[in-house]
Amino acid sequence: MTGDVIKVLLAEDQSMVREALAALLGLEDDIEVVAQAARGDEVLAAARAHRVDVALLDIEMPGATGIEAAAQLHRELPHVKLVVLTTFGRPGYLRSAMEAGADAFLVKDAPAAQLAEAVRKVLAGERVIDPTLAAAALAEGANPLTDREREVLRAAADGSTNAELAHTLHLSQGTVRNYLSTAIQKLSVRNRAEAVRTAREKGWL
């Protein structure tokens, strides 16, 4: 960190929300929002260019999710502290964020003072997790889907046929069927559409 001011990157695709968060954080004497991004795939370059101390990352963004951006920052700029924000309190998101290297996980509508305090705490080496989300994640259990099952379900979300999925993912149609069948069984649903919906609701995709 340079000087006494914490340099923050704010990544959020909704401009009104991003500007409101930036304005609220800007009221803090020791925090300055030095960079903003509207897409997940803009985060790394912005963090590098502005030498930020902390990145606040919304999960739902075009280009790359906040969790994907967090994982990239964790690999490329491990000194940057990561705060993941979510509108949706999905238990699977918390686990994914922590696995990606996040230092904090909060709901987006948390009070500005709580968000500012989280920024200070992660910089001091602490981990900050919304207690309600933490309890829900523990109750839900781990994501039962493998990485490949998640990949196939994500690709199937647009209604692609098995043949189209096989072509897109460079797999045989039989392999695609097997992955979809296993995912459907694990999620205790009737078809691929329900599997996609259930996995999304739990934050497992």
Side-chain angles (χ1 to χ4, degrees), residues 113-128:
Q114 183 179 336
L115 187 56
E117 192 57 27
V119 168
R120 298 183 187 104
K121 284 182 175 179
V122 297
L123 203 60
E126 296 182 46
R127 179 163 279 185
V128 183

Side-chain angles (χ1 to χ4, degrees), residues 51-138:
R51 300 172 182 266
V52 302
D53 303 304
V54 179
L56 302 181
L57 308 168
D58 180 36
I59 285 184
E60 301 286 342
M61 289 189 289
T65 67
I67 290 173
E68 290 168 339
Q72 190 177 36
L73 283 175
H74 188 61
R75 284 193 309 270
E76 303 289 334
L77 301 173
H79 63 281
V80 176
K81 298 298 183 179
L82 307 171
V83 178
V84 174
L85 304 174
T86 180
T87 304
F88 311 103
R90 294 171 180 166
Y93 280 166
L94 172 56
R95 288 179 180 273
S96 297
M98 294 298 107
E99 289 168 2
D103 301 285
F105 190 86
L106 300 169
V107 290
K108 201 187 297 183
D109 58 0
Q114 183 179 336
L115 187 56
E117 192 57 27
V119 168
R120 298 183 187 104
K121 284 182 175 179
V122 297
L123 203 60
E126 296 182 46
R127 179 163 279 185
V128 183
I129 299 173
D130 181 282
T132 303
L133 292 177
L138 286 172

Side-chain angles (χ1 to χ4, degrees), residues 175-194:
T175 300
V176 167
R177 275 195 302 273
N178 288 340
Y179 281 129
L180 287 173
S181 176
T182 303
I184 288 167
Q185 288 176 1
K186 286 181 176 180
L187 297 173
S188 300
V189 294
R190 294 173 296 181
N191 53 51
R192 68 166 72 182
E194 289 185 7

